[in-house]
Amino acid sequence: MDNEKVSTSPKFVSLDEAAAMTEGTRITFIPGVQALYAEALKNICFAKGIPIIRAVHPLMGVDKETGKDRQARLYELTSQTGLPTMFFNAERPRNVWTEQLALAERIGSSSSPTLIPDNFQHRAEMYGLCAVVLSEDGMVWNMRILNDGPLGRKYGYSEEASTLAPGKIAEVIRLIDACLEQQASRGSRYLVGDSVTAADIYWATMSMSLMPTPPEIMPVTKQNQGMLKHFASNAQRPEIAAVLSQRIEDHQRYILTTYCETPAVLGGDPL
Ligand SMILES: N[C@@H](CCC(=O)N[C@@H](CS)C(=O)NCC(=O)O)C(=O)O
């Protein structure tokens, strides 16, 4: 299909181009890589019917030719270096998921699902679940410190913290599983209430780091092979394998294939 051809090689603008634009939603990505927070924001925007312009997120480290920090310009623009940053019209850039989500909810299509529930009880549940997955010391944070390396170090890798990480990840998985079980008993397929919320989309995306996903959901690229292997190896860790359930997998597949764009559109070099 023509569509497929276009969508597997999306256009990426440069960071400077994205920052200079005064219209549209621009989000930074690493072409070919499903960096989790960027992937999740892309899925949130897809669910909200927000067309996005992809921009290249500069990698950590020093440019070999110029000797300069590759993220210096990003820092100048956003006072941080995390991925993704999100620009909308001429507004200030958003770098944290709570702000990105609030913006997406505001600018999304009026016919799209409400991802931040109007009901405050449900809203508290949604933010609570997202926080244990996305915030400091949450599931993704602990996944990053499973191994030593530049990214792990940035998030406080130490032998002690790393030893505790699998248990913390397992605790979050158990919490999500219990929540899905309870929801199923009242006839809902969603984590909160009776309809999709941001908690479903964030969890379904982030949990790709714990469960291998087929290429119909997450295509293989030259750039993401290592990451896919790392994610698959997380699923083999005994603490994690012991708590992953069919219910969690079914929910992930349902949310990703119903509300998100699958196969994921990554750019880079598909294999
Ligand atoms: N700032 C984001 C988190 C994004 C994040 O942690 N991104 C990681 C990649 S998964 C990253 O870019 N880390 C490198 C850095 O912070 O410079 C948020 O709290 O919503």
Side-chain angles (χ1 to χ4, degrees):
M1 277 191 323
D2 276 350
N3 235 355
E4 255 169 32
K5 234 181 183 171
V6 173
S7 65
T8 50
S9 44
K11 179 176 153 53
F12 286 83
V13 300
S14 71
L15 177 66
D16 273 315
E17 282 174 290
M21 291 176 181
T22 52
E23 276 178 22
T25 304
R26 293 91 71 199
I27 298 177
T28 59
F29 296 93
I30 301 174
V33 177
Q34 70 282 27
L36 292 175
Y37 286 83
E39 203 58 21
L41 180 57
K42 188 173 66 174
N43 285 341
I44 292 281
C45 288
F46 187 82
K48 292 300 298 177
I50 301 167
I52 59 165
I53 297 164
R54 292 167 165 83
V56 177
H57 191 91
L59 298 175
M60 289 165 88
V62 169
D63 185 286
K64 281 195 188 111
E65 277 170 26
T66 63
K68 287 196 179 141
D69 178 351
R70 288 190 289 220
Q71 294 183 321
R73 177 68 179 138
L74 176 66
Y75 192 83
E76 210 174 279
L77 288 166
T78 68
S79 299
Q80 58 88 61
T81 54
L83 164 71
T85 193
M86 178 187 200
F87 301 94
F88 173 66
N89 290 353
E91 296 188 14
R92 68 189 161 78
R94 265 84 169 173
N95 307 295
V96 178
W97 67 270
T98 48
E99 289 200 339
Q100 293 167 344
L101 173 61
L103 175 61
E105 189 75 298
R106 167 160 71 87
I107 66 178
S109 143
S110 57
S111 59
S112 68
T114 302
L115 298 181
I116 303 176
D118 291 328
N119 173 304
F120 275 75
Q121 175 65 40
H122 288 166
R123 192 178 299 186
E125 290 169 26
M126 182 281 283
Y127 276 119
L129 290 171
C130 285
V132 297
V133 177
L134 302 162
S135 290
E136 282 84 347
D137 200 31
M139 188 281 276
V140 179
W141 181 283
N142 279 287
M143 203 260 305
R144 283 189 294 225
I145 60 169
L146 285 173
N147 303 305
D148 197 359
L151 196 64
R153 293 268 154 163
K154 203 158 184 176
Y155 293 92
Y157 173 91
S158 70
E159 240 172 68
E160 197 199 343
S162 188
T163 309
L164 294 174
K168 291 187 184 182
I169 294 169
E171 200 176 331
V172 175
I173 299 173
R174 271 200 302 270
L175 177 79
I176 297 280
D177 189 50
C179 190
L180 288 175
E181 186 178 22
Q182 199 194 3
Q183 284 286 87
S185 72
R186 46 175 299 278
S188 172
R189 317 176 71 152
Y190 304 98
L191 282 165
V192 177
D194 295 314
S195 55
V196 68
T197 69
D200 295 296
I201 294 179
Y202 275 118
W203 167 255
T205 309
M206 297 323 208
S207 66
M208 288 196 279
S209 64
L210 304 170
M211 281 178 279
T213 31
E216 308 88 77
I217 289 186
M218 184 51 62
V220 184
T221 67
K222 191 173 144 196
Q223 292 81 6
N224 77 0
Q225 292 173 91
M227 195 172 198
L228 287 171
K229 279 194 192 122
H230 169 56
F231 289 171
S233 74
N234 289 339
Q236 304 295 325
R237 287 188 181 251
E239 300 92 331
I240 295 174
V243 290
L244 285 174
S245 64
Q246 190 60 47
R247 192 169 26 236
I248 293 220
E249 186 177 324
D250 292 347
H251 170 264
Q252 186 210 53
R253 297 291 151 88
Y254 169 63
I255 297 298
L256 292 176
T257 55
T258 310
Y259 297 98
C260 308
E261 189 172 24
T262 51
V265 178
L266 298 174
D269 304 300
L271 290 178

PDB file of all heavy atoms in Angstrom, residues 5-12 29-34 39 42 54 219-224 264-271:
ATOM      1  N   LYS A   5       4.230   2.821   2.528  1.00  0.00           N
ATOM      2  CA  LYS A   5       5.520   3.317   2.070  1.00  0.00           C
ATOM      3  C   LYS A   5       5.815   4.674   2.706  1.00  0.00           C
ATOM      4  O   LYS A   5       6.897   4.914   3.212  1.00  0.00           O
ATOM      5  CB  LYS A   5       5.490   3.450   0.554  1.00  0.00           C
ATOM      6  CG  LYS A   5       6.618   2.719  -0.104  1.00  0.00           C
ATOM      7  CD  LYS A   5       6.517   2.933  -1.572  1.00  0.00           C
ATOM      8  CE  LYS A   5       7.593   2.169  -2.288  1.00  0.00           C
ATOM      9  NZ  LYS A   5       7.347   2.211  -3.713  1.00  0.00           N
ATOM     10  N   VAL A   6       4.798   5.512   2.686  1.00  0.00           N
ATOM     11  CA  VAL A   6       4.988   6.851   3.238  1.00  0.00           C
ATOM     12  C   VAL A   6       5.211   6.766   4.743  1.00  0.00           C
ATOM     13  O   VAL A   6       6.132   7.374   5.281  1.00  0.00           O
ATOM     14  CB  VAL A   6       3.746   7.737   2.941  1.00  0.00           C
ATOM     15  CG1 VAL A   6       3.865   9.071   3.645  1.00  0.00           C
ATOM     16  CG2 VAL A   6       3.601   7.926   1.455  1.00  0.00           C
ATOM     17  N   SER A   7       4.384   5.909   5.408  1.00  0.00           N
ATOM     18  CA  SER A   7       4.440   5.941   6.867  1.00  0.00           C
ATOM     19  C   SER A   7       5.698   5.287   7.426  1.00  0.00           C
ATOM     20  O   SER A   7       6.106   5.593   8.528  1.00  0.00           O
ATOM     21  CB  SER A   7       3.186   5.305   7.469  1.00  0.00           C
ATOM     22  OG  SER A   7       3.161   3.954   7.139  1.00  0.00           O
ATOM     23  N   THR A   8       6.339   4.385   6.649  1.00  0.00           N
ATOM     24  CA  THR A   8       7.535   3.780   7.215  1.00  0.00           C
ATOM     25  C   THR A   8       8.760   4.679   7.041  1.00  0.00           C
ATOM     26  O   THR A   8       9.796   4.430   7.617  1.00  0.00           O
ATOM     27  CB  THR A   8       7.851   2.398   6.590  1.00  0.00           C
ATOM     28  OG1 THR A   8       7.821   2.550   5.183  1.00  0.00           O
ATOM     29  CG2 THR A   8       6.890   1.333   7.055  1.00  0.00           C
ATOM     30  N   SER A   9       8.644   5.692   6.208  1.00  0.00           N
ATOM     31  CA  SER A   9       9.788   6.603   6.121  1.00  0.00           C
ATOM     32  C   SER A   9       9.317   8.033   6.354  1.00  0.00           C
ATOM     33  O   SER A   9       9.279   8.822   5.428  1.00  0.00           O
ATOM     34  CB  SER A   9      10.484   6.469   4.781  1.00  0.00           C
ATOM     35  OG  SER A   9       9.518   6.413   3.763  1.00  0.00           O
ATOM     36  N   PRO A  10       8.894   8.339   7.553  1.00  0.00           N
ATOM     37  CA  PRO A  10       8.364   9.681   7.784  1.00  0.00           C
ATOM     38  C   PRO A  10       9.483  10.712   7.699  1.00  0.00           C
ATOM     39  O   PRO A  10      10.646  10.392   7.894  1.00  0.00           O
ATOM     40  CB  PRO A  10       7.818   9.600   9.209  1.00  0.00           C
ATOM     41  CG  PRO A  10       8.629   8.554   9.871  1.00  0.00           C
ATOM     42  CD  PRO A  10       8.991   7.574   8.806  1.00  0.00           C
ATOM     43  N   LYS A  11       9.071  11.923   7.420  1.00  0.00           N
ATOM     44  CA  LYS A  11      10.047  13.017   7.318  1.00  0.00           C
ATOM     45  C   LYS A  11      10.417  13.494   8.729  1.00  0.00           C
ATOM     46  O   LYS A  11       9.548  13.584   9.600  1.00  0.00           O
ATOM     47  CB  LYS A  11       9.367  14.138   6.534  1.00  0.00           C
ATOM     48  CG  LYS A  11      10.189  15.385   6.316  1.00  0.00           C
ATOM     49  CD  LYS A  11       9.362  16.332   5.421  1.00  0.00           C
ATOM     50  CE  LYS A  11       9.657  17.777   5.585  1.00  0.00           C
ATOM     51  NZ  LYS A  11      10.870  18.366   5.510  1.00  0.00           N
ATOM     52  N   PHE A  12      11.674  13.764   8.929  1.00  0.00           N
ATOM     53  CA  PHE A  12      12.133  14.351  10.193  1.00  0.00           C
ATOM     54  C   PHE A  12      12.726  15.722   9.892  1.00  0.00           C
ATOM     55  O   PHE A  12      13.553  15.839   8.984  1.00  0.00           O
ATOM     56  CB  PHE A  12      13.237  13.489  10.827  1.00  0.00           C
ATOM     57  CG  PHE A  12      12.735  12.212  11.444  1.00  0.00           C
ATOM     58  CD1 PHE A  12      12.507  11.087  10.668  1.00  0.00           C
ATOM     59  CD2 PHE A  12      12.491  12.132  12.815  1.00  0.00           C
ATOM     60  CE1 PHE A  12      12.045   9.904  11.224  1.00  0.00           C
ATOM     61  CE2 PHE A  12      12.025  10.951  13.383  1.00  0.00           C
ATOM     62  CZ  PHE A  12      11.803   9.832  12.589  1.00  0.00           C
ATOM     63  N   PHE A  29      12.313  12.795  18.210  1.00  0.00           N
ATOM     64  CA  PHE A  29      12.463  11.336  18.208  1.00  0.00           C
ATOM     65  C   PHE A  29      13.882  10.987  17.770  1.00  0.00           C
ATOM     66  O   PHE A  29      14.546  11.795  17.125  1.00  0.00           O
ATOM     67  CB  PHE A  29      11.524  10.693  17.170  1.00  0.00           C
ATOM     68  CG  PHE A  29      10.064  10.887  17.446  1.00  0.00           C
ATOM     69  CD1 PHE A  29       9.368  11.955  16.895  1.00  0.00           C
ATOM     70  CD2 PHE A  29       9.387   9.995  18.262  1.00  0.00           C
ATOM     71  CE1 PHE A  29       8.010  12.128  17.151  1.00  0.00           C
ATOM     72  CE2 PHE A  29       8.031  10.153  18.518  1.00  0.00           C
ATOM     73  CZ  PHE A  29       7.347  11.225  17.963  1.00  0.00           C
ATOM     74  N   ILE A  30      14.278   9.751  18.069  1.00  0.00           N
ATOM     75  CA  ILE A  30      15.496   9.210  17.472  1.00  0.00           C
ATOM     76  C   ILE A  30      15.026   8.301  16.332  1.00  0.00           C
ATOM     77  O   ILE A  30      14.362   7.287  16.590  1.00  0.00           O
ATOM     78  CB  ILE A  30      16.330   8.406  18.492  1.00  0.00           C
ATOM     79  CG1 ILE A  30      16.723   9.318  19.665  1.00  0.00           C
ATOM     80  CG2 ILE A  30      17.576   7.814  17.813  1.00  0.00           C
ATOM     81  CD1 ILE A  30      17.433   8.598  20.797  1.00  0.00           C
ATOM     82  N   PRO A  31      15.309   8.661  15.074  1.00  0.00           N
ATOM     83  CA  PRO A  31      14.791   7.860  13.957  1.00  0.00           C
ATOM     84  C   PRO A  31      15.147   6.378  14.097  1.00  0.00           C
ATOM     85  O   PRO A  31      16.288   6.028  14.396  1.00  0.00           O
ATOM     86  CB  PRO A  31      15.478   8.490  12.732  1.00  0.00           C
ATOM     87  CG  PRO A  31      15.753   9.908  13.155  1.00  0.00           C
ATOM     88  CD  PRO A  31      16.073   9.833  14.620  1.00  0.00           C
ATOM     89  N   GLY A  32      14.125   5.529  13.933  1.00  0.00           N
ATOM     90  CA  GLY A  32      14.345   4.084  13.974  1.00  0.00           C
ATOM     91  C   GLY A  32      14.298   3.484  15.368  1.00  0.00           C
ATOM     92  O   GLY A  32      14.415   2.271  15.525  1.00  0.00           O
ATOM     93  N   VAL A  33      14.136   4.320  16.382  1.00  0.00           N
ATOM     94  CA  VAL A  33      14.196   3.820  17.765  1.00  0.00           C
ATOM     95  C   VAL A  33      12.899   4.144  18.501  1.00  0.00           C
ATOM     96  O   VAL A  33      12.415   5.267  18.453  1.00  0.00           O
ATOM     97  CB  VAL A  33      15.385   4.471  18.518  1.00  0.00           C
ATOM     98  CG1 VAL A  33      15.419   4.017  19.974  1.00  0.00           C
ATOM     99  CG2 VAL A  33      16.697   4.136  17.826  1.00  0.00           C
ATOM    100  N   GLN A  34      12.362   3.113  19.205  1.00  0.00           N
ATOM    101  CA  GLN A  34      11.138   3.337  19.993  1.00  0.00           C
ATOM    102  C   GLN A  34      11.513   3.774  21.415  1.00  0.00           C
ATOM    103  O   GLN A  34      11.209   3.088  22.382  1.00  0.00           O
ATOM    104  CB  GLN A  34      10.235   2.099  19.997  1.00  0.00           C
ATOM    105  CG  GLN A  34      10.715   0.889  20.763  1.00  0.00           C
ATOM    106  CD  GLN A  34      11.781   0.096  20.029  1.00  0.00           C
ATOM    107  OE1 GLN A  34      12.522   0.627  19.225  1.00  0.00           O
ATOM    108  NE2 GLN A  34      11.876  -1.184  20.314  1.00  0.00           N
ATOM    109  N   GLU A  39       7.811   7.352  22.261  1.00  0.00           N
ATOM    110  CA  GLU A  39       6.847   6.422  21.677  1.00  0.00           C
ATOM    111  C   GLU A  39       5.474   6.608  22.335  1.00  0.00           C
ATOM    112  O   GLU A  39       4.443   6.631  21.667  1.00  0.00           O
ATOM    113  CB  GLU A  39       7.364   4.993  21.900  1.00  0.00           C
ATOM    114  CG  GLU A  39       6.849   3.949  20.972  1.00  0.00           C
ATOM    115  CD  GLU A  39       7.116   4.224  19.504  1.00  0.00           C
ATOM    116  OE1 GLU A  39       8.022   5.010  19.159  1.00  0.00           O
ATOM    117  OE2 GLU A  39       6.371   3.672  18.694  1.00  0.00           O
ATOM    118  N   LYS A  42       3.889   9.828  21.222  1.00  0.00           N
ATOM    119  CA  LYS A  42       3.384   9.641  19.853  1.00  0.00           C
ATOM    120  C   LYS A  42       2.045   8.905  19.897  1.00  0.00           C
ATOM    121  O   LYS A  42       1.098   9.260  19.202  1.00  0.00           O
ATOM    122  CB  LYS A  42       4.420   8.849  19.053  1.00  0.00           C
ATOM    123  CG  LYS A  42       4.116   8.736  17.578  1.00  0.00           C
ATOM    124  CD  LYS A  42       5.269   8.084  16.831  1.00  0.00           C
ATOM    125  CE  LYS A  42       5.445   6.638  17.254  1.00  0.00           C
ATOM    126  NZ  LYS A  42       6.469   5.947  16.435  1.00  0.00           N
ATOM    127  N   ARG A  54       7.692  15.315  13.054  1.00  0.00           N
ATOM    128  CA  ARG A  54       8.805  14.672  13.771  1.00  0.00           C
ATOM    129  C   ARG A  54      10.076  15.494  13.630  1.00  0.00           C
ATOM    130  O   ARG A  54      10.405  15.944  12.522  1.00  0.00           O
ATOM    131  CB  ARG A  54       9.060  13.281  13.213  1.00  0.00           C
ATOM    132  CG  ARG A  54       7.947  12.294  13.498  1.00  0.00           C
ATOM    133  CD  ARG A  54       8.144  11.057  12.630  1.00  0.00           C
ATOM    134  NE  ARG A  54       7.340   9.942  13.088  1.00  0.00           N
ATOM    135  CZ  ARG A  54       6.071   9.763  12.785  1.00  0.00           C
ATOM    136  NH1 ARG A  54       5.434  10.632  12.025  1.00  0.00           N
ATOM    137  NH2 ARG A  54       5.414   8.711  13.241  1.00  0.00           N
ATOM    138  N   PRO A 219       8.048  -2.771  14.559  1.00  0.00           N
ATOM    139  CA  PRO A 219       8.942  -3.252  13.492  1.00  0.00           C
ATOM    140  C   PRO A 219      10.408  -3.222  13.933  1.00  0.00           C
ATOM    141  O   PRO A 219      10.785  -2.455  14.825  1.00  0.00           O
ATOM    142  CB  PRO A 219       8.717  -2.236  12.366  1.00  0.00           C
ATOM    143  CG  PRO A 219       7.585  -1.383  12.770  1.00  0.00           C
ATOM    144  CD  PRO A 219       7.372  -1.525  14.229  1.00  0.00           C
ATOM    145  N   VAL A 220      11.190  -4.082  13.277  1.00  0.00           N
ATOM    146  CA  VAL A 220      12.619  -4.134  13.570  1.00  0.00           C
ATOM    147  C   VAL A 220      13.345  -3.171  12.624  1.00  0.00           C
ATOM    148  O   VAL A 220      13.067  -3.149  11.425  1.00  0.00           O
ATOM    149  CB  VAL A 220      13.156  -5.564  13.368  1.00  0.00           C
ATOM    150  CG1 VAL A 220      14.622  -5.644  13.758  1.00  0.00           C
ATOM    151  CG2 VAL A 220      12.328  -6.566  14.171  1.00  0.00           C
ATOM    152  N   THR A 221      14.228  -2.381  13.169  1.00  0.00           N
ATOM    153  CA  THR A 221      15.039  -1.478  12.345  1.00  0.00           C
ATOM    154  C   THR A 221      16.515  -1.719  12.670  1.00  0.00           C
ATOM    155  O   THR A 221      16.836  -2.367  13.672  1.00  0.00           O
ATOM    156  CB  THR A 221      14.734   0.011  12.635  1.00  0.00           C
ATOM    157  OG1 THR A 221      15.174   0.317  13.967  1.00  0.00           O
ATOM    158  CG2 THR A 221      13.266   0.342  12.492  1.00  0.00           C
ATOM    159  N   LYS A 222      17.358  -1.152  11.819  1.00  0.00           N
ATOM    160  CA  LYS A 222      18.794  -1.260  12.070  1.00  0.00           C
ATOM    161  C   LYS A 222      19.106  -0.634  13.436  1.00  0.00           C
ATOM    162  O   LYS A 222      19.949  -1.117  14.173  1.00  0.00           O
ATOM    163  CB  LYS A 222      19.515  -0.497  10.949  1.00  0.00           C
ATOM    164  CG  LYS A 222      20.980  -0.707  10.899  1.00  0.00           C
ATOM    165  CD  LYS A 222      21.541  -0.045   9.647  1.00  0.00           C
ATOM    166  CE  LYS A 222      22.904   0.538   9.972  1.00  0.00           C
ATOM    167  NZ  LYS A 222      23.342   1.500   8.958  1.00  0.00           N
ATOM    168  N   GLN A 223      18.367   0.426  13.743  1.00  0.00           N
ATOM    169  CA  GLN A 223      18.676   1.179  14.958  1.00  0.00           C
ATOM    170  C   GLN A 223      18.096   0.578  16.229  1.00  0.00           C
ATOM    171  O   GLN A 223      18.569   0.904  17.325  1.00  0.00           O
ATOM    172  CB  GLN A 223      18.140   2.624  14.818  1.00  0.00           C
ATOM    173  CG  GLN A 223      18.846   3.472  13.780  1.00  0.00           C
ATOM    174  CD  GLN A 223      18.363   3.206  12.339  1.00  0.00           C
ATOM    175  OE1 GLN A 223      17.412   2.456  12.117  1.00  0.00           O
ATOM    176  NE2 GLN A 223      19.025   3.808  11.371  1.00  0.00           N
ATOM    177  N   ASN A 224      17.033  -0.239  16.138  1.00  0.00           N
ATOM    178  CA  ASN A 224      16.407  -0.679  17.394  1.00  0.00           C
ATOM    179  C   ASN A 224      16.650  -2.146  17.752  1.00  0.00           C
ATOM    180  O   ASN A 224      16.081  -2.645  18.722  1.00  0.00           O
ATOM    181  CB  ASN A 224      14.898  -0.367  17.406  1.00  0.00           C
ATOM    182  CG  ASN A 224      14.069  -1.342  16.573  1.00  0.00           C
ATOM    183  OD1 ASN A 224      14.594  -2.273  15.974  1.00  0.00           O
ATOM    184  ND2 ASN A 224      12.779  -1.122  16.539  1.00  0.00           N
ATOM    185  N   ALA A 264       4.153   0.339  14.581  1.00  0.00           N
ATOM    186  CA  ALA A 264       4.661   1.664  14.950  1.00  0.00           C
ATOM    187  C   ALA A 264       5.474   2.247  13.796  1.00  0.00           C
ATOM    188  O   ALA A 264       6.173   1.519  13.095  1.00  0.00           O
ATOM    189  CB  ALA A 264       5.540   1.534  16.191  1.00  0.00           C
ATOM    190  N   VAL A 265       5.342   3.541  13.610  1.00  0.00           N
ATOM    191  CA  VAL A 265       6.077   4.227  12.547  1.00  0.00           C
ATOM    192  C   VAL A 265       7.314   4.860  13.177  1.00  0.00           C
ATOM    193  O   VAL A 265       7.217   5.760  14.010  1.00  0.00           O
ATOM    194  CB  VAL A 265       5.189   5.296  11.891  1.00  0.00           C
ATOM    195  CG1 VAL A 265       5.976   6.040  10.811  1.00  0.00           C
ATOM    196  CG2 VAL A 265       3.958   4.631  11.285  1.00  0.00           C
ATOM    197  N   LEU A 266       8.479   4.307  12.793  1.00  0.00           N
ATOM    198  CA  LEU A 266       9.711   4.692  13.495  1.00  0.00           C
ATOM    199  C   LEU A 266      10.691   5.492  12.639  1.00  0.00           C
ATOM    200  O   LEU A 266      11.568   6.175  13.176  1.00  0.00           O
ATOM    201  CB  LEU A 266      10.455   3.440  13.971  1.00  0.00           C
ATOM    202  CG  LEU A 266       9.736   2.539  14.971  1.00  0.00           C
ATOM    203  CD1 LEU A 266      10.556   1.278  15.211  1.00  0.00           C
ATOM    204  CD2 LEU A 266       9.498   3.272  16.281  1.00  0.00           C
ATOM    205  N   GLY A 267      10.578   5.375  11.320  1.00  0.00           N
ATOM    206  CA  GLY A 267      11.648   5.933  10.479  1.00  0.00           C
ATOM    207  C   GLY A 267      12.886   5.080  10.632  1.00  0.00           C
ATOM    208  O   GLY A 267      12.806   3.896  10.970  1.00  0.00           O
ATOM    209  N   GLY A 268      14.047   5.665  10.421  1.00  0.00           N
ATOM    210  CA  GLY A 268      15.276   4.901  10.484  1.00  0.00           C
ATOM    211  C   GLY A 268      15.357   3.939   9.307  1.00  0.00           C
ATOM    212  O   GLY A 268      14.759   4.175   8.243  1.00  0.00           O
ATOM    213  N   ASP A 269      16.035   2.810   9.500  1.00  0.00           N
ATOM    214  CA  ASP A 269      16.225   1.829   8.425  1.00  0.00           C
ATOM    215  C   ASP A 269      15.530   0.524   8.781  1.00  0.00           C
ATOM    216  O   ASP A 269      16.082  -0.283   9.528  1.00  0.00           O
ATOM    217  CB  ASP A 269      17.718   1.558   8.215  1.00  0.00           C
ATOM    218  CG  ASP A 269      18.470   2.840   7.934  1.00  0.00           C
ATOM    219  OD1 ASP A 269      18.138   3.502   6.936  1.00  0.00           O
ATOM    220  OD2 ASP A 269      19.360   3.200   8.731  1.00  0.00           O
ATOM    221  N   PRO A 270      14.312   0.295   8.256  1.00  0.00           N
ATOM    222  CA  PRO A 270      13.587  -0.943   8.558  1.00  0.00           C
ATOM    223  C   PRO A 270      14.356  -2.150   8.044  1.00  0.00           C
ATOM    224  O   PRO A 270      15.019  -2.079   7.007  1.00  0.00           O
ATOM    225  CB  PRO A 270      12.278  -0.794   7.785  1.00  0.00           C
ATOM    226  CG  PRO A 270      12.198   0.645   7.388  1.00  0.00           C
ATOM    227  CD  PRO A 270      13.586   1.174   7.344  1.00  0.00           C
ATOM    228  N   LEU A 271      14.263  -3.259   8.780  1.00  0.00           N
ATOM    229  CA  LEU A 271      14.957  -4.487   8.343  1.00  0.00           C
ATOM    230  C   LEU A 271      13.937  -5.499   7.851  1.00  0.00           C
ATOM    231  O   LEU A 271      12.806  -5.507   8.300  1.00  0.00           O
ATOM    232  CB  LEU A 271      15.756  -5.087   9.508  1.00  0.00           C
ATOM    233  CG  LEU A 271      16.983  -4.281   9.950  1.00  0.00           C
ATOM    234  CD1 LEU A 271      17.657  -4.963  11.133  1.00  0.00           C
ATOM    235  CD2 LEU A 271      17.986  -4.104   8.808  1.00  0.00           C
TER     236      LEU A 271
END
